[in-house]
Amino acid sequence: MGTRRKAATKKTARKKAAPKKAPRTKSTAGKARSKKSARVRKSSAATGVERRIHATDEETIEQITVTARGIHQKIRKGTRPDLSLPVRSLSNVSYDGRRGYLEIGRQKKVRTLSVNTVKNFAQTLKMMALSKDLVSDNDFATKREAYYISKNWDETKFDEQIESDTVMDDIEALFSVNAINREQLRFYPEEHGGSVSGPLVVRDRDATGRVARIDCANFGSGAYSIPASVEDLEFETSADFVLLVETAGMFQRLQSHRFWESSNCILVEMKGVPARAVRRFVRRLADEGQLPVYAFVDCDPYGIANIYRTLKVGSGSSAHINKFFCVPTARFLGVTPQDIVDYELPTHPLKEVDTKRAKDALKNDPFFKSHLPWRKALEQLIQMGVRAEQQALAMWGLNYVIEEYLPAKLAQTDDFLP
Amino acid sequence: MGTRRKAATKKTARKKAAPKKAPRTKSTAGKARSKKSARVRKSSAATGVERRIHATDEETIEQITVTARGIHQKIRKGTRPDLSLPVRSLSNVSYDGRRGYLEIGRQKKVRTLSVNTVKNFAQTLKMMALSKDLVSDNDFATKREAYYISKNWDETKFDEQIESDTVMDDIEALFSVNAINREQLRFYPEEHGGSVSGPLVVRDRDATGRVARIDCANFGSGAYSIPASVEDLEFETSADFVLLVETAGMFQRLQSHRFWESSNCILVEMKGVPARAVRRFVRRLADEGQLPVYAFVDCDPYGIANIYRTLKVGSGSSAHINKFFCVPTARFLGVTPQDIVDYELPTHPLKEVDTKRAKDALKNDPFFKSHLPWRKALEQLIQMGVRAEQQALAMWGLNYVIEEYLPAKLAQTDDFLP
């Protein structure tokens, strides 16, 4: 069995309750598995300025250790230990156009060890210990795996994954003040998705340290799929901009007709609201490659107020990490409400939930409230009472989008919505 | 504007109602877009026998033309034209263990042109004409795009996508008797997904005819994503078997630890019930590379009776295409009901819907009914009243699955469920 399990066994052996032993455990401990204590990091000079705003693995381990030591010392002094966590709710979120993302405020909730909080407090510390092991072993756990690992934690095991996810979010918020995000704590989401095509070479190092050179211009009818953690990727590109596409179908069309070649762009498929890895991937391209980013989504309140808004300024519920996981320079190519008129697109009526979403955005969303062109566009959409999908352009011919719509739009990027 | 739209305009101009003209149509007709009337096909000698069981583009066009000509001649003779379509329902499906898939029977429904059927009849012919154009232009339409294209068909336009999808299914069933499938008619689903890692080189030709060489062993922490149509891919591999994995999380673990290298296999992520492209991709690997195929899914009625069953023998509702789109040689690695006992896995109780699904499989599914080991396994699962996910193995350590579970299983492939 590999070092990961040995480490866990050694660690938990000090506690009262030893973990249950796995069945059929053969003696494969000696089996060589190459692991490094921390990934080698290189500054990526390929596309210009290095703008990483996150901690190294060493700093992550250091922060976890400092936090744990603080708690340990309080206990030894006979005082009650506590953890001070940023409040993760919309009431603690603000938007400043100059910073360009939804930002978490200064409100904190203090979790003090007591009879009522002891289980949750212990779970938080166990989860931090797991994170430290993962960084040390250069491994990761999916959110689901982290939940199952706890099944060997006796009384502190989680009953449902929602509980372990919440503790994980708390820990992420705790360490986000030190510019450490969840991927660096080595907790990965299950799904990440997002396909990429275009003049881009990605250099990626896997868990064994081997470096792969991936040419996103050489995938035939397929594409490169963005991995769960993109922090260590290095880029080389000669593209002029990044074009983000909402649907798999539209991506397939642009990709297979090599639109990325004729327009010299990097095509990225969002698959609905883009996952964290997709947002971070594009953000790094935007920062390091100084590339403009344009979004091409359905014209409906979901495409605008969920997909595009989350891409550009992040989301309210994860304001503690928006600093890393959004693309403030993104602009909205279309489909705009005015496009529905100009291109005579086939539409569907807005449902009640759509109209409500649009009205909510106008009334409550700090991003839309601070941009007049967006307020006008949303009001126009509500007034028209219809929505249109990006694939609706197919009414004018399958490749109308490639031959007419996108070239016309890209000739006037200054007109894009903010 | 490209040849696709020109062709469509020319064709429809003969009819009474000319299509609406697209707005802002600039004169870009001369813009060169390299298109070929048909893809060059090569026999793929790389991994052994060529076993393609489908028609070439020329044969597809020929079959569409023959069908249309038959209808045209009947009309000229003054008789009512009709189309004879295989019945697509469970009552017309059979399973023969030797053939290895759920097979469509001989029942046909005859659709004769009448006052009541005239719209649907016309839509079927328009959809066939669209397919012929797509093959000629070496293009494709997603199911959604095909729906939107019809918005320019005046009275014969579809009101909802469910209508165009049904007509598409009918056409696919019609031509399946000539070994022509939907991808060859150039109608692609939106989503296809399925990531691949391992000792496999894929050669793929995009819509412009360029050939890409994709090395699935060189993706770092990312992976190759299977394209929507896999019929023209060529393979080279030195792998010993194909391992299909249900969840993105488990794929990520095996992929990032290069399990495909230590066990010399091709890893394929199914993401739940595998899409047609994934099934066809694996089927071609199994046939041409003579590779055994093993499935690793959650131990629950959905994993067994939906995911695995569809992979191995196809589905009842698409029996007309199971011949191409399933992998009859697949075997079930796990997680088996007995694994829950042997590996002391954390479980969740079976819900009512789970138990119903398992009982339905035992009672009605010709595949499970014909395999005693499966009947016993399903009965054991119902009797235990619990289910377990593949990621539940993480209770014994994150990499227990790599270091213990899979090696132990792969040492005894003869014990796999059929």
Side-chain angles (χ1 to χ4, degrees):
Chain A
M1 199 160 294
T3 43
R4 170 69 197 85
R5 257 188 64 78
K6 276 208 302 184
T9 310
K10 203 171 66 186
K11 198 164 298 288
T12 40
R14 291 191 216 122
K15 321 237 165 187
K16 272 183 209 154
K20 290 174 202 130
K21 208 181 151 207
R24 289 198 196 170
T25 306
K26 292 171 216 113
S27 176
T28 49
K31 205 169 131 194
R33 291 189 55 78
S34 74
K35 274 176 185 168
K36 298 191 177 175
S37 66
R39 280 188 245 191
V40 182
R41 283 176 190 277
K42 279 187 192 165
S43 146
S44 79
T47 53
V49 197
E50 165 63 295
R51 293 204 193 186
R52 293 220 183 119
I53 44 175
H54 65 257
T56 62
D57 286 343
E58 291 77 8
E59 286 161 353
T60 304
I61 292 179
E62 174 68 14
Q63 285 302 326
I64 296 173
T65 310
V66 165
T67 307
R69 196 177 290 137
I71 291 166
H72 189 231
Q73 284 170 346
K74 282 204 177 171
I75 293 171
R76 287 184 59 109
K77 279 188 205 159
T79 55
R80 281 197 188 171
D82 55 32
L83 286 166
S84 177
L85 307 164
V87 171
R88 294 182 291 107
S89 79
L90 274 173
S91 66
N92 192 29
V93 167
S94 65
Y95 175 72
D96 176 340
R98 286 161 303 177
R99 282 180 174 262
Y101 54 88
L102 300 180
E103 200 173 9
I104 197 157
R106 293 164 183 278
Q107 290 174 44
K108 304 260 180 183
K109 59 178 174 190
V110 176
R111 184 171 298 159
T112 307
L113 181 60
S114 73
V115 174
N116 290 330
T117 64
V118 63
K119 184 175 172 188
N120 184 280
F121 204 91
Q123 286 171 328
T124 307
L125 294 179
K126 296 276 277 182
M127 193 73 101
M128 276 168 52
L130 172 60
S131 168
K132 183 163 168 280
D133 284 349
L134 292 170
V135 181
S136 301
D137 293 348
N138 194 21
D139 207 339
F140 65 89
T142 64
K143 296 170 82 174
R144 191 80 181 149
E145 284 175 332
Y147 159 72
Y148 275 120
I149 286 170
S150 86
K151 294 293 185 188
N152 209 348
W153 290 354
D154 292 296
E155 314 93 278
T156 54
K157 76 175 178 211
F158 296 104
D159 294 322
E160 300 288 343
Q161 192 187 332
I162 183 87
E163 299 168 19
S164 54
D165 284 355
T166 305
V167 167
M168 209 179 271
D169 286 345
D170 281 345
I171 293 177
E172 180 179 37
L174 176 67
F175 289 104
S176 68
V177 297
N178 303 107
I180 294 169
N181 61 48
R182 194 171 68 207
E183 284 73 6
Q184 293 172 281
L185 296 167
R186 303 301 181 95
F187 296 126
Y188 291 0
E190 295 278 308
E191 297 288 344
H192 36 99
S195 298
V196 180
S197 276
L200 171 71
V201 169
V202 177
R203 284 209 168 68
D204 184 9
R205 174 181 313 275
D206 69 16
T208 63
R210 203 172 310 196
V211 177
R213 182 187 182 279
I214 300 140
D215 179 357
C216 301
N218 192 32
F219 272 89
S221 58
Y224 171 60
S225 173
I226 297 175
S229 179
V230 303
E231 217 57 74
D232 291 324
L233 302 181
E234 291 167 22
F235 302 129
E236 264 173 51
T237 183
S238 58
D240 292 329
F241 62 97
V242 178
L243 182 63
L244 286 151
V245 179
E246 174 176 339
T247 63
M250 182 56 78
F251 178 83
Q252 219 172 305
R253 174 145 308 278
L254 300 183
Q255 199 280 333
S256 70
H257 284 276
R258 296 173 83 90
F259 180 74
W260 49 266
E261 191 169 54
S262 53
S263 64
N264 198 35
C265 71
I266 299 167
L267 278 180
V268 180
E269 173 196 39
M270 291 194 280
K271 283 194 180 160
V273 174
R276 294 161 56 111
V278 174
R279 271 133 65 199
R280 186 71 189 133
F281 185 90
V282 174
R283 166 65 172 277
R284 291 197 51 219
L285 282 176
D287 283 359
E288 296 168 31
Q290 306 283 304
L291 297 181
V293 172
Y294 306 131
F296 179 26
V297 305
D298 289 346
C299 183
D300 57 32
Y302 189 78
I304 294 167
N306 293 55
I307 296 176
Y308 179 68
R309 203 283 309 266
T310 304
L311 169 73
K312 184 172 172 101
V313 298
S315 67
S317 61
S318 57
H320 55 295
I321 50 117
N322 287 340
K323 197 161 49 171
F324 314 114
F325 289 93
C326 65
V327 187
T329 55
R331 305 285 304 276
F332 191 88
L333 179 147
V335 177
T336 65
Q338 188 57 40
D339 286 344
I340 294 181
V341 181
D342 293 344
Y343 290 87
E344 300 169 33
L345 296 180
T347 58
H348 294 81
L350 284 183
K351 287 181 190 153
E352 202 175 315
V353 59
D354 294 321
T355 310
K356 187 177 172 305
R357 198 189 299 276
K359 286 182 176 167
D360 267 3
L362 281 170
K363 195 176 160 201
N364 301 318
D365 193 305
F367 170 67
F368 294 106
K369 280 161 73 176
S370 72
H371 290 289
L372 180 63
W374 267 122
R375 293 207 302 279
K376 283 185 175 167
L378 283 172
E379 276 155 13
Q380 182 182 8
L381 191 66
I382 294 168
Q383 186 264 319
M384 287 160 65
V386 293
R387 62 186 178 84
E389 298 175 359
Q390 52 183 185
Q391 290 189 298
L393 289 156
M395 175 176 172
W396 304 119
L398 276 172
N399 290 315
Y400 184 79
V401 62
I402 293 175
E403 290 154 5
E404 302 288 332
Y405 179 80
L406 287 174
K409 283 276 172 173
L410 289 167
Q412 306 193 309
T413 55
D414 288 348
D415 295 348
F416 287 176
L417 284 160
Chain B
M1 200 159 292
T3 43
R4 168 68 195 86
R5 255 189 65 77
K6 276 208 302 184
T9 308
K10 203 170 67 187
K11 197 165 297 288
T12 40
R14 289 191 218 122
K15 321 235 166 192
K16 272 182 208 156
K20 291 177 201 131
K21 207 180 154 206
R24 289 199 194 168
T25 307
K26 292 172 213 112
S27 175
T28 49
K31 206 168 129 194
R33 290 188 56 77
S34 74
K35 274 176 185 167
K36 298 192 175 173
S37 66
R39 281 186 241 193
V40 181
R41 284 177 189 275
K42 280 188 192 163
S43 146
S44 79
T47 54
V49 197
E50 165 64 294
R51 292 204 195 186
R52 293 221 185 119
I53 44 177
H54 64 259
T56 62
D57 286 343
E58 290 76 7
E59 287 160 352
T60 304
I61 291 179
E62 174 66 16
Q63 285 302 327
I64 295 173
T65 309
V66 165
T67 308
R69 196 175 294 139
I71 291 166
H72 189 232
Q73 285 171 346
K74 282 205 176 172
I75 293 172
R76 286 186 57 113
K77 278 189 207 160
T79 54
R80 280 195 190 177
D82 54 34
L83 286 167
S84 177
L85 307 164
V87 171
R88 295 183 291 106
S89 79
L90 274 173
S91 65
N92 191 30
V93 167
S94 65
Y95 175 72
D96 176 341
R98 287 160 303 176
R99 282 181 173 260
Y101 54 88
L102 300 181
E103 200 173 8
I104 197 157
R106 292 165 182 276
Q107 291 175 42
K108 305 260 179 183
K109 58 178 175 190
V110 175
R111 185 172 296 159
T112 307
L113 181 60
S114 72
V115 174
N116 290 330
T117 64
V118 63
K119 184 174 173 187
N120 185 280
F121 204 90
Q123 285 172 328
T124 307
L125 294 179
K126 295 276 276 183
M127 194 72 101
M128 276 169 52
L130 172 59
S131 168
K132 180 163 171 281
D133 284 348
L134 292 170
V135 181
S136 300
D137 293 348
N138 194 21
D139 207 339
F140 64 89
T142 64
K143 296 170 82 173
R144 191 78 180 148
E145 284 175 333
Y147 159 71
Y148 275 121
I149 286 170
S150 85
K151 294 294 185 187
N152 209 347
W153 289 355
D154 293 295
E155 313 94 277
T156 54
K157 76 175 176 210
F158 295 104
D159 293 322
E160 300 288 342
Q161 193 187 330
I162 183 87
E163 300 167 19
S164 54
D165 285 355
T166 305
V167 167
M168 209 180 272
D169 287 343
D170 281 344
I171 293 177
E172 180 179 37
L174 176 67
F175 288 104
S176 68
V177 297
N178 303 107
I180 294 169
N181 61 48
R182 195 172 68 207
E183 284 74 6
Q184 294 173 284
L185 295 167
R186 304 302 181 96
F187 296 125
Y188 291 2
E190 295 277 307
E191 298 288 343
H192 37 98
S195 298
V196 180
S197 276
L200 171 71
V201 169
V202 178
R203 284 210 168 69
D204 184 11
R205 177 182 309 275
D206 69 15
T208 63
R210 203 171 313 194
V211 176
R213 183 189 181 278
I214 300 140
D215 180 357
C216 301
N218 192 32
F219 273 89
S221 58
Y224 172 59
S225 174
I226 297 175
S229 179
V230 303
E231 216 57 74
D232 289 324
L233 302 182
E234 289 167 24
F235 302 129
E236 263 172 50
T237 183
S238 58
D240 292 330
F241 62 98
V242 179
L243 182 62
L244 286 152
V245 178
E246 174 177 341
T247 63
M250 183 55 79
F251 178 83
Q252 218 172 304
R253 173 143 309 279
L254 300 183
Q255 199 278 334
S256 70
H257 284 275
R258 297 173 82 90
F259 180 73
W260 49 266
E261 191 169 53
S262 54
S263 64
N264 197 34
C265 71
I266 299 167
L267 278 180
V268 179
E269 173 196 39
M270 290 192 281
K271 284 196 180 156
V273 175
R276 293 161 57 111
V278 175
R279 273 135 63 200
R280 186 72 189 133
F281 185 89
V282 174
R283 166 65 173 277
R284 290 198 51 219
L285 282 176
D287 282 358
E288 295 168 31
Q290 306 282 306
L291 298 181
V293 173
Y294 306 131
F296 179 27
V297 305
D298 289 346
C299 182
D300 57 31
Y302 188 78
I304 294 168
N306 293 57
I307 296 175
Y308 179 70
R309 204 281 311 262
T310 304
L311 169 73
K312 184 171 171 100
V313 299
S315 68
S317 62
S318 57
H320 55 297
I321 51 119
N322 287 340
K323 194 161 50 170
F324 315 114
F325 288 94
C326 66
V327 188
T329 56
R331 305 286 304 274
F332 191 88
L333 179 147
V335 176
T336 65
Q338 188 57 39
D339 286 344
I340 295 181
V341 182
D342 293 344
Y343 290 88
E344 299 169 34
L345 297 180
T347 59
H348 295 81
L350 285 182
K351 287 182 190 153
E352 203 176 312
V353 59
D354 294 321
T355 310
K356 187 177 173 304
R357 199 189 299 276
K359 287 182 177 167
D360 268 2
L362 281 170
K363 196 177 159 203
N364 300 319
D365 194 306
F367 170 67
F368 294 106
K369 279 161 74 177
S370 70
H371 290 289
L372 180 63
W374 267 122
R375 292 206 303 276
K376 284 186 175 167
L378 283 172
E379 275 156 12
Q380 182 182 8
L381 191 66
I382 294 168
Q383 185 265 318
M384 289 160 67
V386 293
R387 62 185 178 85
E389 297 174 358
Q390 54 182 186
Q391 290 190 297
L393 289 156
M395 175 176 171
W396 304 118
L398 276 172
N399 291 314
Y400 183 79
V401 61
I402 293 174
E403 291 154 5
E404 301 290 332
Y405 179 79
L406 287 174
K409 283 277 174 172
L410 289 167
Q412 305 192 310
T413 54
D414 287 347
D415 295 349
F416 287 176
L417 284 160

